[in-house]
Amino acid sequence: MFGYYLSLAGKRLLETRGSSAALIIALGLGIGASMTMLIVVRALTWDPLPDRSQRLYHPFFDALPESYEVRADLDPRVSLTWVDAQNLLRQGPALRQSAMASARLLVEPQREVVLPFFAHGQYVTSDAFVMFGISMAKGASWTRQDDEAETPVVVLSMELAKKLGGDELVGSTVLLGGQVLRVVGISDHWNPRPRFYTDLQQDVFSGREDFFIPIAVAASKKMNVSNNLYSWGNEAPANRLKDARTAWVQYWAELPDASSVEQYAVFLENYVVAQRRAGRFERDTPSRMVSLKDHLVEQRIVPNEVKLQLALCLGFLVVCLVNMSALIFARFIRRSHEISTRRALGARRRDVVYQLCTEALIIGCFGGAVGLMVAQAGLYLVRMQPDDYATMASMDLATATATMALACASSILAAFFPALLATSGRLDMQIKASE
C-alpha cells in the first residue's frame, strides 16, 4: 500500500513542480540553518572524556580575602593555591587526584632542532595519566615517588618527540624551558575537547599538549605557567608559584561512586572549616564538589552569540514550517474535489490522510537533501571564523542522518493538520463545493 501512496505522491509532485520546489527550498533553508547551529552547539558541549567524565570532580572553595572583588569573567576560585593543592593531594580521600597547570616552554636548539620554538603542555601529577586516559606509545609515565622527590622527568607527545629525534628519546635528556629533563615516556595522541583540565580562559577548543612535566618540578624551578595566576597579597614572595596567596593550580579528583563523592565533600568541608579557624580563609562560602559536566556549564564555554544564533535559526525553522503548513493546506484545499471523490468511492479518511502525508514525506526527503547542502555551506563558513571552536564544526554520519530525519518529521508535521482539515467535511458538501 505504501508503494501505491508513493506512486500517487510522485505523480502529484511532478504535476505541481513550482509549488513543490518552493516547499522543498523553504524546508531545506530552515533545516540547514538550524542544523548548522545545532552542530556547533553539539561540538561546544561535547563530553571530552565520554568513558570517564562521570567520575571526575573539581573541588570548589573560597580562599579569597573579604576585600577581594570577584569578577564574573575572572574568578580566581576556578584555581587552587599551591598550598591547598598539596594539602588535598596528601589528605584527600579520592581514588586518584591530580594537580595541573598549563605551560608554554621554549624548546632550545638540540639534536634535530636547529631553530628554537615554543611548545605547549601541562604540569601534572602522576595520577593524571590514568585518570584522563593518557596512554603511552613508548616508555611509561613517572610515579608518585617521582612527584614527591621532584624528579626532573618529562613525557613527550609523539609530535614533539619526532621533532626532537624520534622514538629513541626514552631514557635520554631534553632541554625544555631552560631545564634538563629526562624523557621517561612518549604519549599516544590525546586531545579532548573542550580542554576541561585548563582554567578555560583561553584556547578552550584549540591547541594540543606537547609534553607533561611533574608540577612539583615546575613549582620548585619557577618554570613558566601560561594559564592565569591570581594573587591577592601585597608582598612579593620569593617563589610566587608556592605562595599561599596565589591561585593557579587546576585540581581534579576521581570519585567512582556517589558514596565517595559524599565522603570527599565532607572532607572538603572539614578542610575549609579548619583553614578558616587557622585564619587563612576569611569568607563563609560553602564548599562543594562539581562534576566535570557541571563545571563546563558553570564556566559558560558556549559563547552567548552562539546561543543567540541558535535561537534565531530555530525561530527561522518555525517560520518556515508555518509557511509550509499554509502552502500545503492551500494545495490540499485545491484538491478537495479529488479528495471527496476518492472518499465517495470508498476510500477511508485515514487512507487519504496517509496518502497526503506521503507527499509531505517525499518533500521532506528532498528538503533534507537541500538542508544537508545548506548545512555544509554553513559549517564551511563557521570554519572560516577565527574562533578556536570553529575547526570542530563538521558533519558526521550521525548528524547527517539526524538532518534527514528532522526534515522528514518536520514536513509530515507541517502536512498532518492540513490533511485532517482537508478531509474533515461532509462528502456531499465537499463535492458540491468543488463543482
Side-chain angles (χ1 to χ4, degrees):
M1 200 66 177
F2 181 67
Y4 175 66
Y5 291 155
L6 282 176
S7 176
L8 289 179
K11 292 178 181 179
R12 186 61 188 172
L13 292 176
L14 288 175
E15 293 172 0
T16 56
R17 294 182 182 87
S19 61
S20 299
L23 290 171
I24 290 170
I25 292 173
L27 179 62
L29 290 175
I31 292 294
S34 300
M35 286 306 299
T36 298
M37 296 314 302
L38 285 171
I39 290 171
V40 171
V41 172
R42 175 175 175 262
L44 293 175
T45 57
W46 188 255
D47 188 346
L49 293 176
D51 56 340
R52 301 172 186 269
S53 61
Q54 69 276 10
R55 298 184 296 176
L56 298 178
Y57 288 81
H58 177 76
F60 174 89
F61 55 85
D62 196 340
L64 297 175
E66 290 283 359
S67 58
Y68 195 99
E69 183 178 352
V70 178
R71 291 168 47 189
D73 57 338
L74 286 176
D75 189 346
R77 295 173 297 184
V78 301
S79 304
L80 273 60
T81 67
W82 175 256
V83 173
D84 291 319
Q86 290 300 300
N87 288 340
L88 295 190
L89 283 172
R90 287 192 294 266
Q91 304 170 22
L95 176 63
R96 299 180 187 90
Q97 46 196 345
S98 180
M100 310 180 67
S102 300
R104 180 174 181 265
L105 301 179
L106 180 67
V107 181
E108 301 179 29
Q110 55 192 296
R111 292 188 174 82
E112 306 296 328
V113 178
V114 178
L115 297 177
F117 61 91
F118 282 99
H120 298 263
Q122 291 291 312
Y123 303 130
V124 301
T125 53
S126 57
D127 281 356
F129 295 95
V130 178
M131 282 177 60
F132 302 139
I134 308 172
S135 58
M136 295 293 115
K138 193 166 186 179
S141 59
W142 62 86
T143 64
R144 292 183 180 180
Q145 289 71 28
D146 291 321
D147 282 327
E148 296 172 359
E150 299 183 4
T151 307
V153 294
V154 63
V155 169
L156 301 176
S157 69
M158 296 182 68
E159 292 81 4
L160 184 56
K162 289 179 181 178
K163 293 180 181 179
L164 292 174
D167 296 342
E168 304 305 320
L169 285 174
V170 175
S172 60
T173 59
V174 295
L175 191 60
L176 288 177
Q179 302 296 325
V180 177
L181 305 171
R182 180 169 56 86
V183 179
V184 294
I186 297 175
S187 66
D188 279 322
H189 180 74
W190 184 76
N191 197 27
R193 293 290 184 271
R195 298 170 69 217
F196 68 93
Y197 50 89
T198 69
D199 63 359
L200 299 176
Q201 297 298 316
Q202 55 185 344
D203 297 332
V204 179
F205 297 97
S206 62
R208 66 186 184 192
E209 310 309 334
D210 295 318
F211 58 82
F212 300 92
I213 296 174
I215 193 170
V217 173
S220 296
K221 302 289 186 181
K222 304 179 186 179
M223 299 178 72
N224 179 64
V225 174
S226 61
N227 58 252
N228 289 334
L229 281 81
Y230 306 93
S231 295
W232 52 84
N234 295 322
E235 302 174 359
N239 186 344
R240 187 184 179 192
L241 297 182
K242 289 192 174 184
D243 183 43
R245 297 160 298 179
T246 300
W248 59 284
V249 179
Q250 296 302 303
Y251 198 92
W252 290 93
E254 182 179 354
L255 307 173
D257 51 45
S259 61
S260 58
V261 176
E262 183 179 356
Q263 182 184 7
Y264 204 103
V266 171
F267 156 76
L268 191 64
E269 178 60 28
N270 292 335
Y271 175 77
V272 170
V273 170
Q275 296 301 312
R276 196 176 294 134
R277 288 174 180 171
R280 282 195 61 225
F281 295 175
E282 300 178 7
R283 304 190 183 196
D284 294 329
T285 307
S287 63
R288 54 195 173 92
M289 297 299 294
V290 185
S291 68
L292 189 155
K293 292 183 178 180
D294 290 340
H295 177 68
L296 294 177
V297 171
E298 290 182 4
Q299 297 306 307
R300 300 177 181 176
I301 63 170
V302 180
N304 290 330
E305 60 268 22
V306 172
K307 296 179 182 178
L308 176 60
Q309 291 167 5
L310 175 61
L312 292 175
C313 289
L314 292 177
F316 178 60
L317 176 60
V318 171
V319 171
C320 290
L321 293 181
V322 171
N323 289 332
M324 271 191 67
S325 185
L327 290 173
I328 290 174
F329 182 63
R331 284 166 59 99
F332 292 168
I333 289 298
R334 286 198 296 268
R335 297 166 57 189
S336 57
H337 180 72
E338 173 196 334
I339 293 172
S340 58
T341 301
R342 290 180 59 191
R343 291 193 62 197
L345 292 174
R348 294 175 298 181
R349 182 188 179 191
R350 68 179 184 182
D351 293 330
V352 177
V353 171
Y354 287 161
Q355 194 271 319
L356 296 177
C357 287
T358 303
E359 291 184 22
L361 177 62
I362 296 177
I363 291 174
C365 290
F366 284 105
V370 173
L372 286 175
M373 292 186 286
V374 172
Q376 288 286 20
L379 293 173
Y380 174 77
L381 294 177
V382 170
R383 288 193 292 271
M384 295 297 103
Q385 302 302 311
D387 302 291
D388 63 350
Y389 62 81
T391 57
M392 300 176 60
S394 60
M395 183 178 294
D396 54 19
L397 180 60
T399 51
T401 303
T403 300
M404 292 299 298
L406 179 60
C408 293
S410 300
S411 182
I412 293 173
L413 178 63
F416 181 69
F417 291 104
L420 289 179
L421 291 174
T423 58
S424 62
R426 287 174 50 187
L427 291 179
D428 56 344
M429 296 298 295
Q430 284 185 320
I431 293 174
K432 184 176 181 179
S434 61
E435 291 178 349

